[in-house]
Amino acid sequence: MVARTSFETRPCPIARSLDEVGEWWSILLLRDAFQGLTRFDQFQKSLDIAPNILTRRLNSLVERGLFEKRAYCERPLRHEYVLTAKGRDFRPVLLTLLAWGNRHLAPEGPSLVVVDTADGRWADPVLVDKETGRQLDSGGFALATGPRASDRMRQRYRFSSEGPGLPLVENGGQEEVRSR
Amino acid sequence: MVARTSFETRPCPIARSLDEVGEWWSILLLRDAFQGLTRFDQFQKSLDIAPNILTRRLNSLVERGLFEKRAYCERPLRHEYVLTAKGRDFRPVLLTLLAWGNRHLAPEGPSLVVVDTADGRWADPVLVDKETGRQLDSGGFALATGPRASDRMRQRYRFSSEGPGLPLVENGGQEEVRSR
DNA sequence: CATAGTGACTTGCATTATGCAACTAACTCG
DNA sequence: CGAGTTAGTTGCATAATGCAAGTCACTATG
């Protein structure tokens, strides 16, 4: 069996996210849903995607809870695909992809920007800690394994935290083990 | 010719980002590089990935400028794969994927968290405008096409901005056209 | 010396994923 | 009725991914 490897059974949240949206086309479908597209033909025209692939992707996103399938017409039965709360929570990922793409992949200048609607300024998206407002890349932050990390994961990261605000445990050096 | 559709020629920064890192395994390789892995066997063990795929992915990431291939040994010639500045700039995408995954895909609790190393608190990553500190999901921000957007893109977004701070132009309603 | 082990791949083959193009069904409209 | 639209389905071909074995260039050990 050589199906594409599933990351679902891994504890890493990044791997699990990719298991849900990592297939070719999925993230672009989410992008288009954020633009207000809901119908099969809208997505198809926007992306120039094969209908069999589009069907499969839409169904997958519905199954995984990012889209909700709603009837907008009964005769014939017609559905639209609407973002769920889970799907809407994906927006920061899209915005960071957008910022990265603008910075590194748009030598001719940006084609899509985040703007402040009041004064037309272009926003520069950065990640901060919600409570303190401190930038996550400013030093003082690190990744740490949480309470449900696997042993192998614990060996992979320098810090371990058993709960918010609890003292960090510092692990030994990094060993080359599998991230399961 | 039925090669996987390339998004490279599209102006959308999200699509272009996906063209660079959207292949299966690529983002997880970046994750592992952020954890300090650099060598072929480290990546292979961590991900349990086939060596032919790993070779191809590493070479692709090198070609696209996210990794740099450095010799760490001459006899035999051995290389390590090190994040470039472009690769390091991908970190916010990883962190937003992590946050989304923790929120929606970790019913058993988090296995990986961002922590404040000073007091062990768990950070809650949010996206803000760098200059004002305002959250991008708080209202008052929108996506707008930039100076290098295609005409079709302009029809797809409500706002258009020809430069930072310039007045926003409001487009007509959304038409279902192709995002090219 | 020969052998075993390690690391970085390469190769051949099999299954799955993606894409193309034609088709189908259920409608509406002239 | 035929044409057009929408939401798919189907059959087939090529690309992508994965498995497993192999190769090469070393080092270490007996």
Side-chain angles (χ1 to χ4, degrees), chain B residues 102-153:
Chain B
N102 274 340
R103 185 160 183 194
H104 291 285
L105 305 170
E108 74 280 7
S111 56
L112 192 61
V113 291
V114 184
V115 293
D116 183 331
T117 48
D119 60 12
R121 266 190 340 97
W122 293 1
D124 181 7
V126 294
L127 266 182
V128 302
D129 170 29
K130 186 171 183 179
E131 187 170 320
T132 62
R134 286 164 52 214
Q135 283 187 39
L136 295 188
D137 62 0
S138 62
F141 291 100
L143 290 183
T145 50
R148 308 306 299 239
S150 62
D151 287 344
R152 290 189 169 182
M153 257 178 104

Side-chain angles (χ1 to χ4, degrees), chain B residues 10-27:
Chain B
R10 299 175 181 226
C12 173
I14 297 173
R16 288 188 182 178
S17 296
L18 291 172
D19 214 60
E20 299 247 312
V21 301
E23 286 179 309
W24 202 250
W25 293 114
S26 294
I27 293 179

Side-chain angles (χ1 to χ4, degrees), chain A residues 20-33:
Chain A
E20 299 246 311
V21 302
E23 285 180 310
W24 202 251
W25 294 114
S26 294
I27 292 179
L28 283 181
L29 282 172
L30 287 161
R31 178 203 66 177
D32 283 0

Side-chain angles (χ1 to χ4, degrees), chain A residues 51-178:
Chain A
N52 58 333
I53 303 297
L54 179 55
T55 301
R56 203 184 309 168
R57 285 295 175 281
L58 288 173
N59 288 338
S60 170
L61 289 168
V62 168
E63 275 169 31
R64 291 173 184 269
L66 288 98
F67 278 2
E68 181 186 356
K69 196 177 184 179
R70 283 195 199 143
Y72 72 87
C73 173
E74 280 215 346
R75 288 182 57 81
L77 185 59
R78 290 267 152 85
H79 295 107
E80 60 187 0
Y81 298 84
V82 179
L83 283 167
T84 60
K86 180 180 177 182
R88 288 196 296 277
D89 277 350
F90 198 76
R91 189 165 183 260
V93 180
L94 291 174
L95 292 181
T96 50
L97 278 168
L98 180 154
W100 187 78
N102 273 340
R103 185 161 183 193
H104 291 284
L105 304 170
E108 74 280 8
S111 55
L112 192 61
V113 290
V114 183
V115 293
D116 183 329
T117 47
D119 60 12
R121 265 188 342 94
W122 291 3
D124 181 8
V126 293
L127 265 182
V128 301
D129 169 28
K130 186 170 184 181
E131 184 169 321
T132 63
R134 286 163 53 214
Q135 282 187 38
L136 295 189
D137 62 2
S138 61
F141 291 99
L143 289 182
T145 50
R148 309 307 298 240
S150 62
D151 287 344
R152 288 188 172 185
M153 257 179 105
R154 292 179 195 279
Q155 291 170 22
R156 290 285 301 281
Y157 287 86
R158 184 170 162 200
F159 298 111
S160 190
S161 169
E162 290 309 311
L166 296 185
L168 291 185
V169 178
E170 199 154 358
N171 301 321
Q174 289 176 348
E175 298 178 19
E176 294 86 34
V177 289
R178 195 171 296 170

Side-chain angles (χ1 to χ4, degrees), chain B residues 82-93:
Chain B
V82 180
L83 283 167
T84 61
K86 180 180 177 181
R88 288 196 297 275
D89 277 348
F90 198 75
R91 190 166 181 257
V93 180

Side-chain angles (χ1 to χ4, degrees), chain B residues 69-107:
Chain B
K69 194 177 184 180
R70 285 195 198 141
Y72 73 88
C73 174
E74 280 213 345
R75 288 183 57 80
L77 185 59
R78 291 267 151 86
H79 295 106
E80 57 186 3
Y81 298 85
V82 180
L83 283 167
T84 61
K86 180 180 177 181
R88 288 196 297 275
D89 277 348
F90 198 75
R91 190 166 181 257
V93 180
L94 291 174
L95 292 181
T96 51
L97 279 167
L98 180 152
W100 187 77
N102 274 340
R103 185 160 183 194
H104 291 285
L105 305 170

